[in-house]
DNA sequence: TTGGAACCTGAACGGGGGCTGAGCCGTGCG
DNA sequence: CGCACGGCTCAGCCCCCGTTCAGGTTCCAA
């Protein structure tokens, strides 16, 4: 999953990026509203963490601009403590969740997970494809209840496929959601990861749709 | 389904063509308004993605020319950010949808899908012909709920037939909508695909109308 | 009934998309 | 410093898929 963090406070931004990366997300960062708005309109993020107090263009304007432009990416806004009016405005402007600063990092992580899950259309925190089960809270993957060890990138690939199970996911789409901003287009890394996943999982749940991409089997 | 992309920015044009092809469309590209207008009037596209800022002839003129010439192909226009007047003029000129640049690729894909569905007269994202069901979002085909594996070209043929269910579709029409610009006319590939489809589907829903073409049964 | 046109189908083939094993490189850790 | 490991690249192989062709079957007109 690929995230955008729009935060001007360098310290907080670093903390967020590090922690979210450690959780296995591909994270892009924007330091002001202008950059944030541009990235949010251009790149296909799975969720955005948006601070409301920003240089150049403030967060609310960014959010409104996105929604006006039809960008439906789920957004969590960060507001200074106690500024209730901001929260309300944020929700009105199309935010999906909000968090008051200073916030608890674990809570943010939980909310991000839940948000991505909801917007991909999964009610439960566990996603299952046949015997393969992904627990979105712990990030743990099991096959028939038996845990499977995956590397960071293997996990990202599988996780994205499972969140979109039943649909064909093209190689380019996978690449875009798995790597942060700079990535190489001409390479077969995706195929390599899929190959390793298939071997590690030991079950035939990742179907290749020749010429189009990959699809996780529904049942 | 066959699409036309009219876009002068080489980078963006390549991105669009690649992605749309990966989604299973046959894509033609025009680099300026003149070429675009010609192709749009000549070839039978199922949808057009039209940039408004173009060399030689600008997008709005192209669109007006098409509509004046009776070309009813659905058109999505791409406008530079914030130029509201262009959007309004675009709609007035006969555009069916518009998107502000920079745009989100996933959103464009969704709009293209929806547009094609609407113009072929289907309200729901699922099209059914008896036991055969096509989900236009996932591209999945089922017979009596049982999924059927199709190759890319088989899928295109079936998809086009189903979008025009109940109507007779000639071999040449099929060929034109399934292949991009350069294709061979003298060949029996269509017959082969129809044959394979009939076998894979296992149901008699594709009727041949001797001398005219094929028809998907309504009920 | 017969001939021919339209259509179907099985087999074969050639190219290219996809898979994989091996090896390289950078990084983190003992 | 060296080792292990994860990420990435590359080359070669395999096999799927699109296409063609030949021969068979069905339909229609005369």
């Amino acid at each position: 999953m690929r995230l955008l963090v729009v935060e001007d406070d360098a310290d907080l931004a670093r903390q967020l990026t590090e922690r979210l990366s450690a959780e296995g997300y591909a994270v892009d960062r924007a330091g002001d509203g202008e950059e944030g708005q541009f990235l949010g309109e251009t790149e296909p993020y799975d969720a955005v963490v948006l601070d409301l107090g920003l240089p150049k263009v403030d967060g609310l304007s960014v959010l409104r601009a996105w929604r006006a432009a039809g960008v439906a990416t789920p957004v969590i806004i960060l507001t200074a403590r106690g500024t209730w009016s901001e929260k309300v405005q944020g929700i009105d402007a199309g935010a999906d969740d909000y968090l008051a600063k200073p916030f608890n990092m674990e809570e943010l992580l939980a909310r991000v997970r839940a948000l991505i899950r909801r917007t991909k259309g999964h009610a439960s925190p566990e996603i299952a494809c046949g015997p393969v089960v992904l627990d979105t809270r712990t990030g743990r993957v099991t096959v028939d209840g038996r845990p499977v060890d995956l590397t960071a990138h293997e996990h990202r690939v599988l996780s994205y496929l499972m969140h979109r199970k039943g649909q064909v996911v093209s190689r380019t789409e996978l690449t875009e959601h798995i790597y942060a901003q700079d990535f190489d287009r001409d390479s077969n890394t995706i195929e390599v990861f899929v190959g390793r996943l298939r071997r590690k999982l030991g079950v035939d749940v990742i179907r290749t749709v020749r010429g189009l991409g990959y699809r996780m089997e529904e049942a």
Side-chain angles (χ1 to χ4, degrees), chain A residues 117-175:
Chain A
R117 208 174 58 223
R118 284 208 309 269
T119 52
K120 303 280 182 196
H122 304 286
S124 146
E126 288 192 345
I127 307 175
C129 284
V132 182
V133 177
L134 169 68
D135 187 325
T136 59
R137 289 161 307 195
T138 63
R140 211 63 200 278
V141 175
T142 56
V143 178
D144 287 326
R146 182 174 37 81
V148 180
D149 271 339
L150 299 179
T151 70
H153 273 52
E154 286 165 5
H155 187 90
R156 285 189 198 169
V157 172
L158 181 64
S159 167
Y160 192 78
L161 283 174
M162 291 195 74
H163 274 91
R164 307 245 344 228
K165 71 171 177 175
Q167 301 174 46
V168 176
V169 181
S170 72
R171 244 165 279 270
T172 57
E173 187 181 344
L174 261 178
T175 322

Side-chain angles (χ1 to χ4, degrees), chain A residues 4 19 22 33 36 44 48 51 65 90 97 120 155 179 197 206:
Chain A
L4 173 63
R19 189 58 200 279
V48 177
D51 194 346
D97 203 349
K120 303 280 182 196
H155 187 90
Y179 293 99
L197 276 173
I206 307 179

Side-chain angles (χ1 to χ4, degrees), chain A residues 90-104:
Chain A
I91 299 294
D92 285 343
D96 301 88
D97 203 349
Y98 63 88
L99 213 49
K101 290 198 289 190
F103 57 88
N104 179 310

